[in-house]
Amino acid sequence: MNKPQQPHIELRTSPHVKAAPTVEQIMRNVVYALLPIAAFAVWQFGISALALILVVTGSCLATEYAFSRSAGRGNTLSDWSAAITGLLLALTLPPGFPLWMGAVAGFIAIALGKTLFGGLGYNVFNPALVGRAFVQAAFPVAITTWTPAGLPGRFVEFIPTTLALPFMTPPAVGEWSKQQVDSFSGATPLAQWKFEGVITSTSDLFTGMVAGSAGETSALLILLCGIYLAARRMMDWRIPSAVLLGAFVTALVFHLLNDQHYPTPLFVLFSGGLMLGALFMASDMVASPVTPWGVWIYGLFIGVLTVIIRYFGGLSEGVMYAILLGNALSPLIEHITQPRIYGARKSGAKS
């Protein structure tokens, strides 16, 4: 009769090799994290938000496929990067944004934001924000046209601007909105604060029952989805932490200086696109630095700049430009924060 095998402990010297997640695995998990945010956008704004997400994502996928085939790289859709760009871009747009403009934004995001630099892994700027910046400049009225959340007929009726024909002026939604709800100013919480002096409650901002871009309204949901990525080590948690810390401290300083004019730091964190930008765009693995000090400097820069642009810029929002400028500075930040190689001496040091 054989004796039972005794358990034993095996000790080996380092390094211990552990398989890292592949790019496809990371990208797929980012898509998983974005799906609840997209679903909440559809629940809030109805079939217009659903159509916008499908059209923008489809435009990104079609552009990626066309350029990849023409460049002889085969089908690159399986890396999920184009899907992420499409989802993120759609979630930063107003829910009633005309679909043909959304398709243009998707094309620009992939063509100029990604393919022009060489494809996945070579983009200098976040591709979704490149597309967003283009339509911000090309269609300033459509991208600042907002509609109420939670309308009763949102699942059976499109927002009038959704189906606007290409190169035609979208219909006004002011009268349409007034027919749906008793009162609606047609502004986001940020715009209401900046141009009307009205402060939206922190609880509404946190849960997301406010007007705004399709996927930027619920700070709570975005935070939970970001925590999922950080817990699975699919995102560098230090970057969004630094962005939010920089914005919080800057807003706190201004609020302490004049609490009648500047909102509370929580209002700044939960309003607009700061939460989505910090967790899903500033943390772009390609366009952000990787050095230990670099990620903190990069994130703090974006957070501080977002508040400065919001307070002193012509627009009520500033996170898009802050992240793009952070992307532009990323190589410099990484260069000056390179850690010293063990055993090496700094240039000019005495021997």
Side-chain angles (χ1 to χ4, degrees):
M1 183 176 180
N2 295 330
K3 295 182 179 180
Q5 188 175 6
Q6 297 296 322
H8 66 279
I9 300 175
E10 183 176 312
L11 299 178
R12 293 187 180 184
T13 57
S14 61
H16 305 291
V17 178
K18 181 180 179 181
T22 63
V23 173
E24 289 76 13
Q25 288 175 324
I26 295 174
M27 295 293 179
R28 189 170 65 250
N29 275 273
V30 175
V31 171
Y32 293 161
L34 287 172
L35 288 179
I37 302 173
F40 186 72
V42 174
W43 182 79
Q44 269 192 315
F45 300 105
I47 57 175
S48 286
L50 175 62
L52 180 66
I53 292 170
L54 293 177
V55 168
V56 174
T57 305
S59 173
C60 288
L61 294 175
T63 306
E64 172 83 10
Y65 182 79
F67 277 99
S68 298
R69 296 286 292 186
S70 62
R73 295 198 296 264
N75 185 3
T76 57
L77 299 182
S78 59
D79 62 24
W80 297 82
S81 61
I84 293 174
T85 298
L87 279 172
L88 277 176
L89 177 56
L91 295 176
T92 64
L93 298 173
F97 198 62
L99 296 181
W100 75 269
M101 294 182 187
V104 172
F107 172 80
I108 294 296
I110 297 297
L112 296 185
K114 184 179 177 184
T115 305
L116 184 66
F117 293 98
L120 179 63
Y122 297 96
N123 53 287
V124 177
F125 302 98
N126 184 291
L129 289 181
V130 172
R132 177 64 161 74
F134 177 84
V135 292
Q136 176 86 49
F139 313 117
V141 175
I143 209 165
T144 52
T145 299
W146 312 100
T147 51
L151 294 178
R154 61 190 183 280
F155 297 118
V156 295
E157 181 183 4
F158 283 104
I159 299 171
T161 50
T162 297
L163 301 178
L165 296 176
F167 307 109
M168 301 294 289
T169 303
V173 297
E175 290 301 321
W176 177 83
S177 298
K178 292 178 182 177
Q179 295 173 3
Q180 307 294 319
V181 293
D182 294 335
S183 63
F184 178 69
S185 68
T188 63
L190 269 179
Q192 283 184 313
W193 159 71
K194 184 158 187 172
F195 302 119
E196 302 172 17
V198 177
I199 294 290
T200 304
S201 72
T202 303
S203 60
D204 287 345
L205 293 174
F206 194 58
T207 56
M209 294 311 296
V210 294
S213 296
E216 295 180 348
T217 56
S218 176
L220 172 62
L221 182 59
I222 296 170
L223 195 58
L224 291 175
C225 294
I227 291 174
Y228 162 79
L229 284 181
R232 298 214 61 191
R233 299 181 183 274
M234 302 291 181
M235 175 182 67
D236 189 341
W237 61 270
R238 296 171 298 178
I239 292 178
S241 299
V243 173
L244 298 178
L245 177 64
F248 182 88
V249 172
T250 308
L252 178 62
V253 170
F254 279 102
H255 184 69
L256 292 177
L257 292 174
N258 187 347
D259 61 356
Q260 299 298 313
H261 185 69
Y262 297 108
T264 65
L266 289 181
F267 176 89
V268 172
L269 291 186
F270 297 157
S271 60
L274 179 57
M275 199 63 73
L276 187 70
L279 288 160
F280 287 95
M281 296 181 181
S283 57
D284 186 320
M285 292 186 295
V286 182
S288 59
V290 296
T291 56
W293 280 105
V295 293
W296 286 104
I297 295 172
Y298 167 81
L300 290 171
F301 171 80
I302 292 174
V304 172
L305 192 60
T306 297
V307 178
I308 298 299
I309 294 175
R310 283 183 177 183
Y311 285 5
F312 303 104
L315 300 173
S316 56
E317 182 57 280
V319 66
M320 176 184 71
Y321 294 112
I323 294 176
L324 288 174
L325 288 172
N327 291 160
L329 287 177
S330 177
L332 176 62
I333 294 173
E334 187 157 293
H335 175 73
I336 62 178
T337 57
Q338 286 291 323
R340 184 170 66 89
I341 300 173
Y342 181 74
R345 296 180 182 278
K346 293 183 178 179
S347 59
K350 294 180 179 179
S351 59

